[in-house]
Amino acid sequence: MIIFKQLILENFGPYKGKNIINLVPENPDNKSPIVLIGGMNGGGKTTLMDAIRLALYGKRSSRENINYNDYLIQCINNKIDLGEKTRIELTFEHIINDQWTELKIVRYWEQNVREGNDNLGIIEGEFPDINLTENWEEYIENFLPLGISNLFLFDGEQVKELAEQDEPTNDVKKAIKSLLGLELATQLITDLDILISRKQKDIDNNKEKEENLENIQGELAYLEKEKDTLLQELAEEEKKVKLATKNYNEASKNLREIGGKIANEKEKLRTEKEFIEQKIEDINKNLIHLATQVTPLGLISDLLTDLTLQIEKESKLIQIKNAQGLWQEKDKKLLNFMETLDIDENKYSKIASFLNQETLFLSQQLEEENIYLDADETTLPQLNNILHNLLPFQQNQVKENIIKLTQLEKQLISIEQKMLIVNSPAEYKTLENEYKREEKTLVKIKSNCGIIKQTLTAVEKKINDVRKKLSHYGEDNIKHEQAKHLAELMPKVKQTLSIFQQKLTLRKLNKLESEVTNCFRYLLHKSNFVGKVVISTESFALSIYDNNGLLLPKNRLSAGEKQLLAIALLWGLARVSEKNLPVAIDTPLGRLDSSHRYNLIDRYFPTASHQVILLSTDTEIGEMEVNFLREKEAIALEYLLDYNSKMNQTTIKSGYFW
């Protein structure tokens, strides 16, 4: 089952900009099948049908009298700006493995269409499906083949043409053959004709081959003799291989037993050596790290001590310099205070003289001593920390690492001496030489065996080729006889297949005739007017018989009855297909009179499919007809194509003409 959900047209035909048509009821419980779209002639109804076909089939939907590139250009809205795209989106649901799956077909192209190609994208759910996009034509043929699309997407002109002709149109004939499975039988008959032609050509071209049989047999005898000689040489060499293999295995065993002990000891020493080397490397890394710290300052420790004393000395001078003004002011205040006291003048003079001498002494000290470093107050604590803490600590670490390094290097020398002794024992060398000698002997003998085997293989290949030449004499004769037998049998098979095709056609047409008869009776609303509708097995032309088995000439049918018969044929084919697809009908009522029009509205439209899209003018489905369908609750959605003749543009609106 398929349900069309949404159609979006963007700059397509008379539809400028983005136009959206929802094709399923918003209320999921509403089972009304009809989507009614009203529009005047030339207002864009046929364009909607073209858009659905184009979305589904792409290049295959193009009309026969125009190439696809021109068709795409004609579909572009003539009012769009440069750079804008034309776009179609058709969203539908169908059942795959008993589950509903939503697919969206997106096709778009620009004004400068190149090589007649549009851009196609298939979206499943919310994500693009590259596999579906690349294989879309094959995929769509599985559930809605192009050959039967005319049974579900048709217009009033198609019904009119079908009603007026004595035989169905070519499109309908193709649909009938496709539905009845007759195309396969026809293709088989065609393939049989091709096969008969090929076999006859093989018979005509078959000639006697002039091969020198005696020379071929002589060549075969020579090759067989050469093969026997090579087999004898190979047997002798294989005996040598067995003896050489035995000697090689013994030498290998001896080498493994003694060599294994040596290898174990070597491995032990190697592991111990790697362990010590790793330790030495770690100590060297540690020493390098210490060398990047304060350790190198130990080389100038005396200078650092002098530097400390100089900084201490300069620090005091800086303190004196900074406090000079303060103590002079203090001395002055002291003398002024003493003048207010009852102090002996002699004592006062001595105190004043003492303070002057102290001031003079400090001033002389400042003049005699120079400040070179002018270090800040954090420098001295840092320097003391390096001299008395960090430097002694790191110097101890260096000494400890050097002691460890010396011990490890002695151990390494001892291990290397042991490895030199282990690496070259005389007994091992003797066993190793014997092993290599036996290995070389074995390789040489095996190489000789390989050369003999290669030569033997080449000889056997030549023998097979010669035997094939001989066998061709018999095979060619058998093929010739088979070709003659098939050439004689093929016409009988073709005749049988033709009979099968005829019987298959009759059996399938019986079902189709029954469906068309029931549909025609139902639409006519005259149960006793038509007894049976018969379909020709050759031309698929329709014949009508009454209940007495008498032929009713088609010219006795009114124009409306002929149209109902055409619709009955399309409806019957749709039923036989069992595809359960939506039906879209453009200008559905055409030239029908009021009674036949009522029959279609009452009986066909509400039951033609689970989803019926009607594209009608206001004169086909008028106010009375639409009200009738509304009362039957057959309409799910209504749209109106509002065409502006001045702008040559169509706008989609909700609601119908009334």
CSV table of all heavy atoms in Angstrom, one decimal, residues 541-595:
chain,number,residue,atom,x,y,z
A,541,ALA,N,-9.2,-5.5,-27.2
A,541,ALA,CA,-10.4,-4.8,-27.4
A,541,ALA,C,-11.5,-5.3,-26.6
A,541,ALA,O,-11.6,-6.5,-26.3
A,541,ALA,CB,-10.8,-4.8,-28.9
A,542,LEU,N,-12.4,-4.4,-26.2
A,542,LEU,CA,-13.5,-4.8,-25.3
A,542,LEU,C,-14.8,-5.1,-26.1
A,542,LEU,O,-15.1,-4.3,-27.1
A,542,LEU,CB,-13.8,-3.7,-24.3
A,542,LEU,CG,-12.7,-3.2,-23.4
A,542,LEU,CD1,-13.1,-2.2,-22.4
A,542,LEU,CD2,-12.0,-4.4,-22.7
A,543,SER,N,-15.5,-6.2,-25.8
A,543,SER,CA,-16.8,-6.5,-26.4
A,543,SER,C,-17.8,-6.7,-25.3
A,543,SER,O,-17.4,-7.2,-24.2
A,543,SER,CB,-16.7,-7.8,-27.2
A,543,SER,OG,-15.7,-7.6,-28.3
A,544,ILE,N,-19.0,-6.2,-25.5
A,544,ILE,CA,-20.0,-6.2,-24.4
A,544,ILE,C,-21.1,-7.2,-24.9
A,544,ILE,O,-21.6,-7.1,-26.0
A,544,ILE,CB,-20.6,-4.8,-24.2
A,544,ILE,CG1,-19.5,-3.9,-23.8
A,544,ILE,CG2,-21.6,-4.9,-23.0
A,544,ILE,CD1,-19.9,-2.4,-23.7
A,545,TYR,N,-21.5,-8.1,-23.9
A,545,TYR,CA,-22.6,-9.0,-24.2
A,545,TYR,C,-23.7,-8.8,-23.1
A,545,TYR,O,-23.4,-8.5,-22.0
A,545,TYR,CB,-22.1,-10.5,-24.2
A,545,TYR,CG,-21.2,-10.8,-25.3
A,545,TYR,CD1,-19.8,-10.5,-25.2
A,545,TYR,CD2,-21.7,-11.4,-26.4
A,545,TYR,CE1,-19.0,-10.8,-26.2
A,545,TYR,CE2,-20.8,-11.7,-27.5
A,545,TYR,CZ,-19.4,-11.4,-27.4
A,545,TYR,OH,-18.6,-11.7,-28.4
A,546,ASP,N,-25.0,-9.0,-23.6
A,546,ASP,CA,-26.1,-8.9,-22.6
A,546,ASP,C,-26.3,-10.2,-21.9
A,546,ASP,O,-25.5,-11.1,-22.0
A,546,ASP,CB,-27.3,-8.4,-23.3
A,546,ASP,CG,-27.8,-9.5,-24.4
A,546,ASP,OD1,-27.3,-10.6,-24.3
A,546,ASP,OD2,-28.6,-9.1,-25.2
A,547,ASN,N,-27.3,-10.2,-21.0
A,547,ASN,CA,-27.5,-11.4,-20.2
A,547,ASN,C,-27.9,-12.6,-21.0
A,547,ASN,O,-27.9,-13.8,-20.5
A,547,ASN,CB,-28.6,-11.1,-19.2
A,547,ASN,CG,-28.1,-10.2,-18.1
A,547,ASN,OD1,-26.9,-10.3,-17.7
A,547,ASN,ND2,-28.9,-9.2,-17.6
A,548,ASN,N,-28.3,-12.4,-22.3
A,548,ASN,CA,-28.7,-13.5,-23.1
A,548,ASN,C,-27.5,-14.0,-24.0
A,548,ASN,O,-27.7,-14.8,-24.9
A,548,ASN,CB,-29.9,-13.1,-24.0
A,548,ASN,CG,-31.1,-12.8,-23.2
A,548,ASN,OD1,-31.4,-13.5,-22.2
A,548,ASN,ND2,-31.8,-11.8,-23.6
A,549,GLY,N,-26.4,-13.4,-23.8
A,549,GLY,CA,-25.2,-13.8,-24.5
A,549,GLY,C,-25.1,-13.1,-25.9
A,549,GLY,O,-24.3,-13.5,-26.7
A,550,LEU,N,-25.9,-12.1,-26.1
A,550,LEU,CA,-25.9,-11.4,-27.4
A,550,LEU,C,-24.9,-10.2,-27.4
A,550,LEU,O,-24.9,-9.5,-26.4
A,550,LEU,CB,-27.3,-11.0,-27.8
A,550,LEU,CG,-28.3,-12.1,-28.0
A,550,LEU,CD1,-29.7,-11.5,-28.3
A,550,LEU,CD2,-27.9,-13.0,-29.1
A,551,LEU,N,-24.2,-10.1,-28.5
A,551,LEU,CA,-23.2,-9.0,-28.6
A,551,LEU,C,-23.9,-7.6,-28.6
A,551,LEU,O,-24.8,-7.5,-29.4
A,551,LEU,CB,-22.3,-9.2,-29.8
A,551,LEU,CG,-21.3,-8.0,-30.0
A,551,LEU,CD1,-20.2,-8.0,-28.9
A,551,LEU,CD2,-20.6,-8.3,-31.4
A,552,LEU,N,-23.5,-6.7,-27.8
A,552,LEU,CA,-24.0,-5.3,-27.9
A,552,LEU,C,-23.0,-4.5,-28.6
A,552,LEU,O,-21.9,-4.3,-28.1
A,552,LEU,CB,-24.2,-4.8,-26.4
A,552,LEU,CG,-25.3,-5.5,-25.6
A,552,LEU,CD1,-25.3,-4.9,-24.2
A,552,LEU,CD2,-26.7,-5.2,-26.2
A,553,PRO,N,-23.4,-4.0,-29.8
A,553,PRO,CA,-22.4,-3.2,-30.6
A,553,PRO,C,-22.0,-1.9,-29.7
A,553,PRO,O,-22.8,-1.3,-29.0
A,553,PRO,CB,-23.2,-2.7,-31.8
A,553,PRO,CG,-24.3,-3.8,-31.9
A,553,PRO,CD,-24.6,-4.2,-30.6
A,554,LYS,N,-20.7,-1.6,-29.8
A,554,LYS,CA,-20.2,-0.5,-29.0
A,554,LYS,C,-20.8,0.8,-29.4
A,554,LYS,O,-20.9,1.7,-28.6
A,554,LYS,CB,-18.7,-0.5,-29.1
A,554,LYS,CG,-18.0,0.3,-28.0
A,554,LYS,CD,-16.5,0.2,-28.1
A,554,LYS,CE,-15.8,1.0,-27.0
A,554,LYS,NZ,-14.4,0.9,-27.1
A,555,ASN,N,-21.3,0.9,-30.7
A,555,ASN,CA,-21.8,2.2,-31.1
A,555,ASN,C,-23.2,2.4,-30.5
A,555,ASN,O,-23.8,3.5,-30.7
A,555,ASN,CB,-21.9,2.2,-32.7
A,555,ASN,CG,-22.7,1.0,-33.2
A,555,ASN,OD1,-23.4,0.4,-32.5
A,555,ASN,ND2,-22.5,0.8,-34.5
A,556,ARG,N,-23.8,1.4,-29.9
A,556,ARG,CA,-25.1,1.6,-29.2
A,556,ARG,C,-24.9,2.3,-27.9
A,556,ARG,O,-25.9,2.7,-27.3
A,556,ARG,CB,-25.8,0.2,-29.0
A,556,ARG,CG,-26.4,-0.3,-30.3
A,556,ARG,CD,-27.1,-1.6,-30.1
A,556,ARG,NE,-28.1,-1.4,-29.0
A,556,ARG,CZ,-28.8,-2.4,-28.5
A,556,ARG,NH1,-28.6,-3.7,-28.9
A,556,ARG,NH2,-29.7,-2.2,-27.6
A,557,LEU,N,-23.7,2.3,-27.4
A,557,LEU,CA,-23.4,2.9,-26.1
A,557,LEU,C,-23.3,4.5,-26.3
A,557,LEU,O,-22.8,5.0,-27.3
A,557,LEU,CB,-22.1,2.5,-25.5
A,557,LEU,CG,-22.0,1.0,-25.2
A,557,LEU,CD1,-20.6,0.7,-24.7
A,557,LEU,CD2,-23.0,0.5,-24.2
A,558,SER,N,-23.9,5.2,-25.4
A,558,SER,CA,-23.7,6.6,-25.4
A,558,SER,C,-22.3,7.0,-25.1
A,558,SER,O,-21.5,6.2,-24.6
A,558,SER,CB,-24.7,7.2,-24.4
A,558,SER,OG,-24.3,6.9,-23.0
A,559,ALA,N,-22.0,8.3,-25.3
A,559,ALA,CA,-20.7,8.8,-25.0
A,559,ALA,C,-20.3,8.6,-23.6
A,559,ALA,O,-19.2,8.3,-23.2
A,559,ALA,CB,-20.5,10.3,-25.5
A,560,GLY,N,-21.3,8.9,-22.7
A,560,GLY,CA,-21.1,8.7,-21.3
A,560,GLY,C,-20.9,7.3,-20.9
A,560,GLY,O,-20.0,7.0,-20.1
A,561,GLU,N,-21.6,6.4,-21.5
A,561,GLU,CA,-21.4,4.9,-21.2
A,561,GLU,C,-20.1,4.4,-21.7
A,561,GLU,O,-19.4,3.6,-21.0
A,561,GLU,CB,-22.6,4.1,-21.8
A,561,GLU,CG,-23.9,4.3,-21.1
A,561,GLU,CD,-25.1,3.7,-21.9
A,561,GLU,OE1,-24.9,3.4,-23.1
A,561,GLU,OE2,-26.1,3.5,-21.3
A,562,LYS,N,-19.6,5.0,-22.8
A,562,LYS,CA,-18.3,4.6,-23.3
A,562,LYS,C,-17.2,5.1,-22.3
A,562,LYS,O,-16.2,4.3,-22.0
A,562,LYS,CB,-18.0,5.2,-24.7
A,562,LYS,CG,-18.8,4.6,-25.8
A,562,LYS,CD,-18.5,5.3,-27.1
A,562,LYS,CE,-19.4,4.7,-28.2
A,562,LYS,NZ,-19.1,5.3,-29.5
A,563,GLN,N,-17.4,6.3,-21.8
A,563,GLN,CA,-16.4,6.8,-20.8
A,563,GLN,C,-16.4,5.9,-19.5
A,563,GLN,O,-15.4,5.6,-18.9
A,563,GLN,CB,-16.7,8.2,-20.5
A,563,GLN,CG,-16.3,9.2,-21.6
A,563,GLN,CD,-16.0,10.6,-21.1
A,563,GLN,OE1,-16.2,10.9,-19.9
A,563,GLN,NE2,-15.6,11.4,-22.0
A,564,LEU,N,-17.7,5.5,-19.1
A,564,LEU,CA,-17.8,4.6,-17.9
A,564,LEU,C,-17.1,3.3,-18.2
A,564,LEU,O,-16.5,2.7,-17.3
A,564,LEU,CB,-19.2,4.5,-17.5
A,564,LEU,CG,-19.9,5.7,-17.0
A,564,LEU,CD1,-21.4,5.3,-16.6
A,564,LEU,CD2,-19.2,6.3,-15.8
A,565,LEU,N,-17.2,2.8,-19.4
A,565,LEU,CA,-16.6,1.5,-19.8
A,565,LEU,C,-15.0,1.7,-19.7
A,565,LEU,O,-14.3,0.8,-19.2
A,565,LEU,CB,-17.0,1.1,-21.2
A,565,LEU,CG,-16.3,-0.2,-21.7
A,565,LEU,CD1,-16.7,-1.4,-20.8
A,565,LEU,CD2,-16.8,-0.5,-23.1
A,566,ALA,N,-14.5,2.8,-20.2
A,566,ALA,CA,-13.1,3.1,-20.1
A,566,ALA,C,-12.6,3.2,-18.7
A,566,ALA,O,-11.6,2.6,-18.3
A,566,ALA,CB,-12.8,4.4,-20.9
A,567,ILE,N,-13.4,3.8,-17.9
A,567,ILE,CA,-13.0,3.9,-16.4
A,567,ILE,C,-13.1,2.6,-15.8
A,567,ILE,O,-12.3,2.2,-14.9
A,567,ILE,CB,-13.9,4.9,-15.7
A,567,ILE,CG1,-13.6,6.4,-16.2
A,567,ILE,CG2,-13.8,4.9,-14.2
A,567,ILE,CD1,-14.5,7.4,-15.7
A,568,ALA,N,-14.1,1.8,-16.2
A,568,ALA,CA,-14.3,0.4,-15.6
A,568,ALA,C,-13.0,-0.4,-16.0
A,568,ALA,O,-12.6,-1.2,-15.2
A,568,ALA,CB,-15.5,-0.2,-16.2
A,569,LEU,N,-12.5,-0.3,-17.2
A,569,LEU,CA,-11.3,-1.0,-17.6
A,569,LEU,C,-10.1,-0.6,-16.8
A,569,LEU,O,-9.4,-1.5,-16.2
A,569,LEU,CB,-11.0,-0.8,-19.1
A,569,LEU,CG,-9.7,-1.4,-19.6
A,569,LEU,CD1,-9.7,-2.9,-19.5
A,569,LEU,CD2,-9.5,-1.0,-21.1
A,570,LEU,N,-9.9,0.7,-16.6
A,570,LEU,CA,-8.8,1.2,-15.7
A,570,LEU,C,-9.0,0.7,-14.3
A,570,LEU,O,-8.0,0.3,-13.6
A,570,LEU,CB,-8.7,2.7,-15.8
A,570,LEU,CG,-8.4,3.3,-17.2
A,570,LEU,CD1,-8.5,4.8,-17.1
A,570,LEU,CD2,-7.0,2.9,-17.6
A,571,TRP,N,-10.2,0.8,-13.8
A,571,TRP,CA,-10.5,0.4,-12.4
A,571,TRP,C,-10.3,-1.1,-12.3
A,571,TRP,O,-9.7,-1.6,-11.3
A,571,TRP,CB,-11.9,0.8,-12.1
A,571,TRP,CG,-12.3,0.7,-10.6
A,571,TRP,CD1,-11.4,0.5,-9.6
A,571,TRP,CD2,-13.5,0.9,-10.0
A,571,TRP,NE1,-12.1,0.5,-8.4
A,571,TRP,CE2,-13.4,0.8,-8.6
A,571,TRP,CE3,-14.8,1.2,-10.6
A,571,TRP,CZ2,-14.4,0.9,-7.7
A,571,TRP,CZ3,-15.9,1.3,-9.7
A,571,TRP,CH2,-15.7,1.2,-8.3
A,572,GLY,N,-10.7,-1.9,-13.2
A,572,GLY,CA,-10.5,-3.3,-13.2
A,572,GLY,C,-9.1,-3.7,-13.2
A,572,GLY,O,-8.6,-4.6,-12.5
A,573,LEU,N,-8.3,-3.0,-14.1
A,573,LEU,CA,-6.8,-3.3,-14.1
A,573,LEU,C,-6.2,-3.0,-12.8
A,573,LEU,O,-5.3,-3.7,-12.3
A,573,LEU,CB,-6.2,-2.5,-15.2
A,573,LEU,CG,-6.5,-3.0,-16.7
A,573,LEU,CD1,-6.1,-2.0,-17.7
A,573,LEU,CD2,-5.7,-4.3,-16.9
A,574,ALA,N,-6.6,-1.9,-12.2
A,574,ALA,CA,-6.0,-1.5,-10.9
A,574,ALA,C,-6.3,-2.5,-9.8
A,574,ALA,O,-5.5,-2.9,-9.0
A,574,ALA,CB,-6.6,-0.1,-10.5
A,575,ARG,N,-7.6,-3.1,-9.9
A,575,ARG,CA,-7.9,-4.1,-8.9
A,575,ARG,C,-7.1,-5.4,-9.1
A,575,ARG,O,-6.6,-6.0,-8.1
A,575,ARG,CB,-9.4,-4.4,-9.0
A,575,ARG,CG,-10.3,-3.4,-8.4
A,575,ARG,CD,-11.8,-3.8,-8.5
A,575,ARG,NE,-12.7,-3.0,-7.7
A,575,ARG,CZ,-14.0,-3.2,-7.6
A,575,ARG,NH1,-14.5,-4.3,-8.1
A,575,ARG,NH2,-14.7,-2.4,-6.9
A,576,VAL,N,-7.0,-5.8,-10.4
A,576,VAL,CA,-6.2,-7.0,-10.7
A,576,VAL,C,-4.7,-6.9,-10.2
A,576,VAL,O,-4.1,-7.8,-9.8
A,576,VAL,CB,-6.3,-7.3,-12.2
A,576,VAL,CG1,-5.4,-8.5,-12.5
A,576,VAL,CG2,-7.7,-7.7,-12.5
A,577,SER,N,-4.2,-5.7,-10.4
A,577,SER,CA,-2.8,-5.5,-10.0
A,577,SER,C,-2.5,-5.7,-8.5
A,577,SER,O,-1.4,-6.1,-8.1
A,577,SER,CB,-2.4,-4.0,-10.3
A,577,SER,OG,-2.9,-3.1,-9.4
A,578,GLU,N,-3.6,-5.5,-7.7
A,578,GLU,CA,-3.4,-5.7,-6.2
A,578,GLU,C,-2.3,-4.9,-5.6
A,578,GLU,O,-1.7,-5.2,-4.6
A,578,GLU,CB,-3.2,-7.2,-5.9
A,578,GLU,CG,-4.4,-8.1,-6.3
A,578,GLU,CD,-4.1,-9.6,-6.0
A,578,GLU,OE1,-2.9,-9.9,-5.6
A,578,GLU,OE2,-5.0,-10.4,-6.1
A,579,LYS,N,-2.1,-3.7,-6.3
A,579,LYS,CA,-1.0,-2.8,-5.8
A,579,LYS,C,-1.5,-1.9,-4.7
A,579,LYS,O,-0.7,-1.4,-3.9
A,579,LYS,CB,-0.5,-2.0,-7.0
A,579,LYS,CG,0.3,-2.8,-8.0
A,579,LYS,CD,1.7,-3.2,-7.5
A,579,LYS,CE,2.5,-3.9,-8.5
A,579,LYS,NZ,3.8,-4.3,-8.1
A,580,ASN,N,-2.8,-1.7,-4.6
A,580,ASN,CA,-3.3,-0.8,-3.5
A,580,ASN,C,-2.6,0.5,-3.5
A,580,ASN,O,-2.0,1.0,-2.5
A,580,ASN,CB,-3.2,-1.5,-2.2
A,580,ASN,CG,-4.3,-1.0,-1.2
A,580,ASN,OD1,-5.2,-0.3,-1.6
A,580,ASN,ND2,-4.1,-1.4,0.0
A,581,LEU,N,-2.7,1.2,-4.7
A,581,LEU,CA,-2.0,2.5,-4.9
A,581,LEU,C,-3.0,3.6,-4.9
A,581,LEU,O,-4.2,3.5,-5.1
A,581,LEU,CB,-1.2,2.5,-6.2
A,581,LEU,CG,-0.2,1.4,-6.3
A,581,LEU,CD1,0.4,1.4,-7.7
A,581,LEU,CD2,0.9,1.5,-5.3
A,582,PRO,N,-2.5,4.9,-4.6
A,582,PRO,CA,-3.4,6.0,-4.7
A,582,PRO,C,-3.8,6.2,-6.2
A,582,PRO,O,-3.1,5.8,-7.1
A,582,PRO,CB,-2.5,7.2,-4.3
A,582,PRO,CG,-1.4,6.6,-3.5
A,582,PRO,CD,-1.2,5.2,-4.1
A,583,VAL,N,-5.0,6.8,-6.4
A,583,VAL,CA,-5.5,7.1,-7.7
A,583,VAL,C,-5.6,8.7,-7.8
A,583,VAL,O,-6.2,9.3,-7.0
A,583,VAL,CB,-6.9,6.5,-7.9
A,583,VAL,CG1,-7.5,7.0,-9.2
A,583,VAL,CG2,-6.8,5.0,-8.0
A,584,ALA,N,-5.0,9.2,-8.9
A,584,ALA,CA,-5.1,10.6,-9.2
A,584,ALA,C,-5.7,10.8,-10.5
A,584,ALA,O,-5.3,10.2,-11.5
A,584,ALA,CB,-3.7,11.2,-9.2
A,585,ILE,N,-6.8,11.6,-10.6
A,585,ILE,CA,-7.5,11.8,-11.8
A,585,ILE,C,-7.7,13.3,-12.1
A,585,ILE,O,-8.1,14.1,-11.3
A,585,ILE,CB,-9.0,11.2,-11.7
A,585,ILE,CG1,-8.9,9.8,-11.1
A,585,ILE,CG2,-9.7,11.2,-13.0
A,585,ILE,CD1,-10.2,9.2,-10.7
A,586,ASP,N,-7.2,13.6,-13.4
A,586,ASP,CA,-7.3,15.0,-13.8
A,586,ASP,C,-8.5,15.2,-14.7
A,586,ASP,O,-8.7,14.4,-15.6
A,586,ASP,CB,-6.0,15.4,-14.6
A,586,ASP,CG,-6.0,16.8,-15.0
A,586,ASP,OD1,-6.8,17.6,-14.5
A,586,ASP,OD2,-5.1,17.2,-15.8
A,587,THR,N,-9.3,16.2,-14.5
A,587,THR,CA,-10.6,16.4,-15.3
A,587,THR,C,-11.4,15.2,-15.4
A,587,THR,O,-11.5,14.6,-16.5
A,587,THR,CB,-10.3,17.0,-16.7
A,587,THR,OG1,-9.4,16.1,-17.4
A,587,THR,CG2,-9.6,18.4,-16.5
A,588,PRO,N,-11.9,14.7,-14.3
A,588,PRO,CA,-12.5,13.3,-14.3
A,588,PRO,C,-13.8,13.1,-15.0
A,588,PRO,O,-14.1,12.0,-15.4
A,588,PRO,CB,-12.6,13.0,-12.8
A,588,PRO,CG,-12.8,14.4,-12.2
A,588,PRO,CD,-12.0,15.3,-13.0
A,589,LEU,N,-14.6,14.2,-15.1
A,589,LEU,CA,-16.0,14.0,-15.6
A,589,LEU,C,-16.2,14.3,-17.0
A,589,LEU,O,-17.2,14.0,-17.6
A,589,LEU,CB,-17.0,14.8,-14.7
A,589,LEU,CG,-16.9,14.4,-13.2
A,589,LEU,CD1,-17.9,15.3,-12.4
A,589,LEU,CD2,-17.2,13.0,-13.0
A,590,GLY,N,-15.3,15.0,-17.6
A,590,GLY,CA,-15.3,15.3,-19.1
A,590,GLY,C,-16.6,15.6,-19.7
A,590,GLY,O,-17.3,16.5,-19.3
A,591,ARG,N,-17.0,14.7,-20.6
A,591,ARG,CA,-18.3,14.9,-21.4
A,591,ARG,C,-19.4,14.1,-20.8
A,591,ARG,O,-20.4,13.8,-21.5
A,591,ARG,CB,-18.0,14.4,-22.8
A,591,ARG,CG,-17.0,15.3,-23.5
A,591,ARG,CD,-16.3,14.5,-24.7
A,591,ARG,NE,-17.2,13.7,-25.4
A,591,ARG,CZ,-16.8,12.8,-26.3
A,591,ARG,NH1,-15.5,12.7,-26.6
A,591,ARG,NH2,-17.7,12.1,-27.0
A,592,LEU,N,-19.3,13.7,-19.5
A,592,LEU,CA,-20.4,12.8,-19.0
A,592,LEU,C,-21.7,13.7,-18.8
A,592,LEU,O,-21.6,14.8,-18.3
A,592,LEU,CB,-20.0,12.2,-17.6
A,592,LEU,CG,-18.9,11.2,-17.7
A,592,LEU,CD1,-18.5,10.7,-16.3
A,592,LEU,CD2,-19.3,10.0,-18.5
A,593,ASP,N,-22.8,13.0,-19.0
A,593,ASP,CA,-24.1,13.7,-18.7
A,593,ASP,C,-24.3,13.6,-17.2
A,593,ASP,O,-23.6,13.0,-16.5
A,593,ASP,CB,-25.2,13.1,-19.5
A,593,ASP,CG,-25.3,11.6,-19.3
A,593,ASP,OD1,-25.0,11.1,-18.2
A,593,ASP,OD2,-25.7,10.9,-20.3
A,594,SER,N,-25.4,14.2,-16.7
A,594,SER,CA,-25.7,14.3,-15.3
A,594,SER,C,-25.8,12.9,-14.6
A,594,SER,O,-25.3,12.7,-13.5
A,594,SER,CB,-26.9,15.2,-15.0
A,594,SER,OG,-28.1,14.6,-15.7
A,595,SER,N,-26.5,12.0,-15.3
A,595,SER,CA,-26.8,10.7,-14.6
A,595,SER,C,-25.5,9.9,-14.5
A,595,SER,O,-25.2,9.3,-13.4
A,595,SER,CB,-27.8,9.9,-15.4
A,595,SER,OG,-27.3,9.6,-16.7
